[in-house]
Amino acid sequence: MKAWTETEETTNQLFDQFEGVIYHVLKKLNIQKNNSEYDDFLQEGRLLLLESYQESQSNPLDSADAAKQFNTYLQRKLYWKFLHRITKKNIETVEFNQDWMQESEKDPYWFEVESDYKEFFRKLTKIQMITLQYMMQSDESVTEYAKRIGRTRSAVQQDILSIRKKLKKFLDKHSKLDS
């Protein structure tokens, strides 16, 4: 973000008129106040509001049409930024990395879950297995990866979502067996 040079009055007007958009997007994504990262999302949203204002071609405080256009733009920008952050956090939580399987196999209790992991991998389609390998081994973005393999970004995102659902189901089942 460029240095903020607007007056305090303009800043306050922006927050008065558009801060509700941040709360709306948080609610839409089911990010509630009891979420440990709620304040971080809120602060990121406020910064994005200011950044969006700087990027805007027209002043959203000047007219109703400009405000409506800015509101739509801000909603979209917030939604995708927050969704990206959530997705990244989910991937990090699952801890996909190159050594994931090797580390698991060193676990002294690996033999107890080895067949379950093999069952998990059998539930993945061939494309999902390739996507899982990409997730564990690559630093490129989903968009770059999709272009490289000749698929759409949304198709790759859907594969990632399916993998996460299957893995979550596996981990939920496995954690219930441990209890």
Side-chain angles (χ1 to χ4, degrees):
M1 187 169 107
K2 298 183 289 186
W4 186 252
T5 57
E6 298 295 329
T7 65
E8 187 176 339
E9 182 183 343
T10 301
T11 306
N12 289 335
Q13 282 180 323
L14 278 170
F15 283 124
D16 288 346
Q17 191 166 345
F18 296 105
E19 191 172 28
V21 176
I22 301 167
Y23 294 106
H24 172 76
V25 173
L26 289 170
K27 184 177 180 182
K28 191 173 180 179
L29 291 172
N30 200 27
I31 301 169
Q32 300 173 357
K33 288 183 181 180
N34 62 355
N35 183 319
S36 63
E37 295 184 39
Y38 181 83
D39 291 333
D40 293 337
F41 277 105
L42 189 57
Q43 185 64 22
E44 187 173 359
R46 289 174 178 148
L47 290 172
L48 211 54
L49 167 60
L50 300 177
E51 184 179 294
S52 298
Y53 175 79
Q54 288 178 328
E55 294 171 353
S56 110
Q57 301 298 321
S58 59
N59 187 342
L61 301 173
D62 285 346
S63 70
D65 284 343
K68 185 177 178 182
Q69 186 178 9
F70 181 77
N71 188 4
T72 303
Y73 172 71
L74 179 62
Q75 269 189 31
R76 215 169 332 142
K77 193 163 182 162
L78 288 165
Y79 181 81
W80 289 112
K81 182 74 167 186
F82 291 167
L83 194 59
H84 176 73
R85 182 176 173 167
I86 292 166
T87 303
K88 185 177 179 189
K89 174 113 175 116
N90 286 343
I91 289 172
E92 288 169 358
T93 303
V94 173
E95 294 181 22
F96 285 125
N97 60 43
Q98 260 179 303
D99 303 319
W100 180 55
M101 285 304 295
Q102 288 90 353
E103 290 170 11
S104 297
E105 291 172 344
K106 290 176 189 170
D107 183 337
Y109 300 104
W110 171 251
F111 70 93
E112 296 176 2
V113 295
E114 181 177 12
S115 63
D116 290 333
Y117 272 101
K118 286 181 180 175
E119 182 180 308
F120 164 71
F121 289 120
R122 278 194 296 272
K123 289 184 179 190
L124 299 178
T125 66
K126 186 176 180 179
I127 285 283
Q128 288 172 346
M129 278 298 292
I130 293 168
T131 302
L132 178 61
Q133 288 174 325
Y134 146 75
M135 291 169 63
M136 295 186 321
Q137 299 172 350
S138 178
D139 290 335
E140 68 185 338
S141 71
V142 173
T143 303
E144 293 167 339
Y145 172 71
K147 283 180 186 176
R148 183 172 54 79
I149 65 169
R151 295 183 70 209
T152 64
R153 182 182 188 283
S154 60
V156 173
Q157 287 288 72
Q158 187 59 45
D159 285 344
I160 293 170
L161 181 65
S162 295
I163 292 166
R164 272 200 231 112
K165 283 181 181 177
K166 290 175 182 179
L167 184 60
K168 183 179 178 345
K169 193 173 184 180
F170 165 77
L171 293 174
D172 287 347
K173 176 184 172 188
H174 182 65
S175 66
K176 287 177 187 170
L177 293 175
D178 290 342
S179 304

